[in-house]
Structure formats: C-alpha cells, structure tokens
Amino acid sequence: MRNMFYDVRTVESYSFKISVENGRVEKVKFDESRGKAFRVLKNCFWGYFVGDVDDKEGISLAEKNAVGKGDSDVLKVSSSGKFVLKPKEDFRDVSVEEKVQFLKDIEKNLKGDKIVSTSVTYFENIRRLSYYDSNGNEVFYEIPRIGLIISAVAKDETLQFYSKRVMKPAGFEALKGAYDLADEVVEVVTKLVNAKTPPSGNMNVVADSSLAGVFIHEAFGHAVEGDHVLQGASVLANKLGQKVADDCVNIYDDPTIREFGFYPFDDEGVKAEKRTIVENGVLKDFLHSRETALKFNSRAGNARAEGLKFPIVRMSNTYLDRGDHKFDELLEIARNGVYLVGSRGGETNPATGYFQFNAQYGYLIEGGELTGMIRDVSLSGYTLEILKNIKIGRDLEFDPGFCGKEDQLVPVSDGSPPILIKALVGGS
C-alpha cells in the first residue's frame, strides 16, 4: 500500500465475573466483544482507526488519520504462527450454578469471631488475537485466563483487611488450592487486628517473594520500558552496559512462562521470548515495541494493548532470579529488623528511582528470629541503592495482577525469592 507500513489486529474477548459478598451473590457480569484496530505509519507518523469495517476500508481510514510528520519507524521482524492454550478443565464446561456454589463453599471457610465482612470474586476470560501486517507477518493465539480473589475484614483493636488471589493462564484446574487460601486469609486477618505498629527508621528488611516481586516490577521494571527511557523518564537512561546492581542480581522478563503475564505473541505480532534485563548486576537491555527497538538497535516483543487500544511497551512476567541464601540465613544475617509480607500498593517514580510501598503485614526480627506481628507498615528508598546492597533467597515465587499504564490494564506477574535489603521503614 504505497510503501507504507500497516497492521491489522482483530481482538475477540469473552469474559465472565461473579462475586459472593457476605453470603450473597453480587456483581454478575458477562461480556463478549469483537473488534478491529488498524495502524498505518505514513511520513513517520501513526494513523489509527478502530472499527468493525473490512480491512481495506480500515487501513484507508487509518491512513487518513496519519495527518502529520514525525520520527516514528518500526523494526522489521519475521513472525508467524498459531497458538491455542487448551486448559485441562475448560471453565466454559462448568455451569454458573456450580461456580456460584464453589464460591459460596469457599466463603464458608472465611469464618471467625473477629471477621465482619467477606468476599470471594471469580473471573474468567478468553482472548483471541489475530494479527497481520504489510511485512507479511501473520499470527493468531487464544488464551484462557482465570482468577479468584478471596478477602476478609476483621475487627478487634483495629479494623484490618487481608486478601489472597490466584490468577493463571489456565482453566478451572488452577483453583484447586482455593480452600487453603481461604484458611490463610482467616488465620492472618484475625491476628492482624491485634498486631502492633511498626518501628521506624533505616533498618534491615527481609521482604517476602510477593513484596520483593512488586519492588522489581514497580521500582525497576517500569524504568526499563523503552518508551519511558526515550522520554527521559527513567533513572536507567544511558546506563546500558553499566553496573546497576550487585553481582548476585539477575532480572528477566519472560512472557513464555505460564504465569498470568503469559503470551505467545505480542500485540505487534512479534514472537514472545525471554529477555535478559540485568545479568550479574549489569544492565543488558530495555523492553521494547517495534518502534523503540529500532531506535535502540534491540529486539521487539513487549508491545501490549488492552483491547483495541494502541500497543505500548509493557512488562509480562518480570522477575528477580534465585540467589544462594536459605530464608533462615536471611533472618540470621539481618539479626534485627523487620520481615514484611505482601503489598497494599504504593508509588514509584521511574525517573528518580524513588519508591514507597505499603506491606500487608510483617513481623519483627529480633536476634535472627521472627517475633511480634506488625501492621500498617511502609517501606521506601531508592531502587539503585537497594539493588547494590541486596542478598537474595532461593525460593522463586510469582504473584499475579493487572498492571496499569496510560489508561491500559494488562495481566502481569511479578517474581522474586525473599530478599534482604536496607530501607526506610515506618507506619502507613
């Protein structure tokens, strides 16, 4: 088409969501959609159109929207293939009535003298992506995803909330451990209501896999997204090939792992592959779309989109790899400080490397042993300072969720073993 680049993306989505709150079925939602997104790169400027029209018309309308001149171009890639993830137990074969009963049975486990409110939320989704472009690339995939979020509120000395979740690219088989999660929610939240406030100051912190994974995703991962780097909004700009962390630090982004951020091809039709971000403390690469990859002379494969929105650089399954230390060794090395578990959100600034997170709960570390439970704990510091003085555990675990960027949500997972760091601790 007159020597310009174009691509056509067809996205089909099926989703179902249901919640049981305090024994009552709430928020039942079913949705099916199908649509097309057309991109045209003309005079180094993107034109974009979304609509259910034939491809020739869609490309023509996108071209008309390429109204300026810019500096955009795309890396030429060669990619083709078809992938269908077939679950062991298709959730479409499980009736709505069975799902409701399953949620009610789980919620029955969320009982205790101090518990005042409970919720169990279930969702399922199937995404089908068909893609082709003017370079001759053509791909298709179908991915089912399933999730369960179990939460409870308890009251005694304080009012506290705690939740656990499982989210996988899989079928109903992924929820087999749900009752154990419910038991954990009850056990933690009923203790948490009488937990003490944390100490404050700069101290040794052992972070569990969940909190450490959030740190890697939020505080480090966003800073290696190629668009942030190009915009000057990354503390890691101009640091390729440089030492940015301790020798023990190896960080990867891998969409081929069957965690929540899994995909076989990205939304620009590029075959997914494991990306080495940091190796032995040295920054090796950023994450890229086809546009940012060309500017950095790198590889594409991390362009993702929510629905029919414009693909942007995103993480997938981002993780800090295993280290050498057993958990008890981390506690012993710390001697005194805090052990923090999970995350209740926070904020990061990729441009400066500053982060602040709130842990779900924690314990004091005294003489290398876990002692009193603490609540409402915050953790803050600067990413590169933390990574240059870190000790890493052996047991790698992933925690799933949805990552937001530029008004787009995509499924991701954060991974890490437990880590020992020094950071500023306080109340949240």
Side-chain angles (χ1 to χ4, degrees):
M1 284 222 172
R2 298 195 298 281
N3 199 31
M4 66 182 181
F5 174 82
Y6 66 85
D7 62 14
V8 179
R9 186 163 39 103
T10 303
V11 179
E12 297 176 79
S13 178
Y14 153 85
S15 62
F16 176 70
K17 181 178 180 180
I18 187 168
S19 295
V20 173
E21 299 178 6
N22 300 315
R24 297 178 57 184
V25 177
E26 307 275 359
K27 299 176 183 175
V28 180
K29 185 177 180 182
F30 171 80
D31 183 62
E32 268 190 307
S33 64
R34 181 184 186 276
K36 293 181 179 180
F38 303 87
R39 295 195 307 177
V40 166
L41 187 59
K42 182 181 179 182
N43 296 322
C44 299
F45 191 91
W46 285 109
Y48 200 61
F49 176 76
V50 173
D52 193 11
V53 298
D54 68 62
D55 293 359
K56 186 176 181 180
E57 181 183 359
I59 294 166
S60 176
L61 289 167
E63 182 184 0
K64 288 179 181 177
N65 289 332
V67 294
K69 291 186 178 181
D71 63 352
S72 296
D73 202 355
V74 292
L75 182 73
K76 289 186 178 180
V77 300
S78 178
S79 187
S80 63
K82 178 180 180 180
F83 180 89
V84 176
L85 196 160
K86 294 183 178 179
K88 294 178 182 177
E89 189 177 354
D90 195 322
F91 45 66
R92 291 171 294 186
D93 295 335
V94 181
S95 70
V96 173
E97 291 77 15
E98 289 176 276
K99 290 167 184 169
V100 169
Q101 190 59 52
F102 176 61
L103 300 190
K104 286 184 174 181
D105 289 344
I106 293 170
E107 201 194 33
K108 287 176 184 176
N109 283 28
L110 298 175
K111 301 300 179 186
D113 294 340
K114 300 170 184 176
I115 291 177
V116 295
S117 179
T118 60
S119 174
V120 183
T121 298
Y122 166 89
F123 72 84
E124 62 191 34
N125 171 264
I126 297 173
R127 188 180 199 246
R128 297 183 188 91
L129 171 72
S130 301
Y131 173 97
Y132 74 90
D133 65 29
S134 54
N135 295 152
N137 298 304
E138 189 170 357
V139 304
F140 170 85
Y141 73 68
E142 179 180 308
I143 305 293
R145 283 186 170 88
I146 193 168
L148 192 68
I149 304 167
I150 303 170
S151 59
V153 176
K155 184 178 181 180
D156 198 344
E157 289 184 15
T158 62
L159 187 70
Q160 295 290 326
F161 168 86
Y162 185 63
S163 69
K164 292 292 289 184
R165 62 193 174 192
V166 56
M167 300 175 181
K168 289 282 188 179
F172 214 75
E173 72 278 359
L175 306 184
K176 297 300 183 187
Y179 295 101
D180 292 336
L181 289 183
D183 292 341
E184 181 182 341
V185 168
V186 171
E187 180 182 2
V188 171
V189 78
T190 52
K191 292 178 181 177
L192 197 52
V193 290
N194 296 319
K196 304 303 180 184
T197 55
S200 61
N202 205 49
M203 66 186 70
N204 289 326
V205 176
V206 176
D208 84 320
S209 292
S210 176
L211 181 58
V214 169
F215 165 73
I216 291 300
H217 174 99
E218 295 288 354
F220 192 85
H222 282 297
V224 297
E225 292 172 334
D227 50 356
H228 279 162
V229 179
L230 285 172
Q231 293 158 8
S234 170
V235 70
L236 295 168
N238 304 315
K239 285 187 167 59
L240 276 179
Q242 295 182 25
K243 194 88 167 173
V244 296
D246 188 88
D247 289 349
C248 68
V249 173
N250 295 281
I251 300 174
Y252 304 95
D253 185 271
D254 190 354
T256 69
I257 299 173
R258 295 290 178 89
E259 294 293 339
F260 200 50
F262 168 81
Y263 57 83
F265 306 97
D266 76 352
D267 281 78
E268 293 184 317
V270 181
K271 185 175 176 62
E273 63 177 5
K274 181 179 179 180
R275 183 67 47 87
T276 300
I277 302 172
V278 174
E279 185 176 54
N280 301 327
V282 176
L283 182 63
K284 291 292 188 178
D285 206 352
F286 298 125
L287 303 179
H288 291 297
S289 64
R290 292 172 71 171
E291 182 175 348
T292 65
L294 185 64
K295 293 178 178 178
F296 280 93
N297 191 29
S298 186
R299 294 171 299 161
N302 278 85
R304 305 180 66 189
E306 178 186 355
L308 297 169
K309 296 179 181 179
F310 197 97
I312 55 177
V313 183
R314 305 303 300 269
M315 287 173 271
S316 60
N317 302 307
T318 312
Y319 66 98
L320 173 68
D321 208 2
R322 294 175 176 86
D324 297 328
H325 298 282
K326 295 179 181 178
F327 180 71
D328 288 345
E329 291 174 347
L330 296 177
L331 296 179
E332 183 61 35
I333 296 168
R335 291 303 294 167
N336 296 293
V338 293
Y339 169 55
L340 301 183
V341 178
S343 170
R344 291 191 290 113
E347 59 180 346
T348 62
N349 186 337
T352 64
Y354 176 79
F355 68 88
Q356 187 271 325
F357 300 130
N358 300 317
Q360 289 186 304
Y361 66 98
Y363 295 91
L364 296 174
I365 303 173
E366 297 176 313
E369 301 286 338
L370 296 180
T371 58
M373 192 180 205
I374 53 178
R375 58 175 170 82
D376 303 328
V377 197
S378 72
L379 174 74
S380 61
Y382 286 88
T383 306
L384 297 186
E385 291 178 12
I386 295 292
L387 289 175
K388 287 176 180 176
N389 184 21
I390 185 173
K391 290 180 171 54
I392 306 173
R394 294 180 179 178
D395 300 320
L396 174 62
E397 294 182 9
F398 286 87
D399 198 33
F402 289 92
C403 175
K405 179 181 175 182
E406 296 181 19
D407 295 321
Q408 296 194 44
L409 289 175
V410 294
V412 299
S413 278
D414 320 323
S416 178
I419 59 174
L420 169 59
I421 59 177
K422 183 156 280 189
L424 185 64
V425 172
S428 61

